[in-house]
Amino acid sequence: MSQMPIVSLLDEARRLVENGQRVRVLWQQSDSLVFIARGREYRSEFHINPSDETMYMIKGEMRLHYRTADGKEEVAVIPEGAMIYTPAGTPHSPRFPPDAFALISERKRREGEVDRFQWYCSKCDNLLHEETFIVRDYAEDPVSKAYRRFFENESFRTCKKCSAVMPAI
Ligand SMILES: [Fe+2]
């Protein structure tokens, strides 16, 4: 890779459609980790990132579900061409259709930092389950790995408070 890569966002988005993948990492440096994500309409979890994030909508609209400091779920709508800044530690869940594309900027994780993925009960909002990951390489797609573990295990999806079961996808 060139030392100062110049990337066409629309070309990279097209490439994601062609190869069927969800994420394309543009670069990963200690203070700058940037990737394009294609819509994850199915996202249900909240990601707690030790790094700040910015999200820019290249195409389409994002509904960013997030949880406030007192645990309330809110939704921020980010239209095409707009950008949001999400401080480190904010539980957030970016939801957008498969024909929408977002440019996400974070930084590479530092030694000892852990990413957390949480699911909440859709009936009573109790915490269902948390997966933790040490993200060494974003190309390994830690979000998909967390999903596999969560959805393969029905007890993770069963609410300890009201017994509702989140259906498998
Ligand atoms: Fe529940």
Side-chain angles (χ1 to χ4, degrees), residues 121-126 128 159-164:
C121 177
S122 57
K123 214 167 162 190
C124 77
D125 208 38
N126 190 45
L128 283 181
C159 181
K160 312 295 177 283
K161 198 169 158 192
C162 79
S163 305

Side-chain angles (χ1 to χ4, degrees), residues 19-65:
N19 66 21
Q21 288 176 348
R22 292 279 181 170
V23 171
R24 177 162 182 83
V25 177
L26 302 183
W27 58 82
Q28 290 192 80
Q29 301 298 325
S30 52
D31 288 321
S32 175
L33 157 58
V34 173
F35 58 95
I36 293 180
R38 188 150 65 95
R40 295 190 172 206
E41 64 289 355
Y42 55 83
R43 272 186 84 158
S44 52
E45 104 298 349
F46 288 84
H47 177 207
I48 301 168
N49 192 338
S51 155
D52 285 1
E53 289 190 30
T54 64
M55 288 174 259
Y56 165 72
M57 287 314 290
I58 302 163
K59 182 174 179 287
E61 180 183 276
M62 177 191 287
R63 292 178 65 80
L64 183 73
H65 292 239

Side-chain angles (χ1 to χ4, degrees), residues 1 33 36 48 50 63 68 78-79 84 90 92 105 124 146 161:
M1 197 210 324
L33 157 58
I36 293 180
I48 301 168
R63 292 178 65 80
T68 61
I78 305 137
I84 190 169
T90 308
H92 63 282
S105 165
C124 77
K161 198 169 158 192

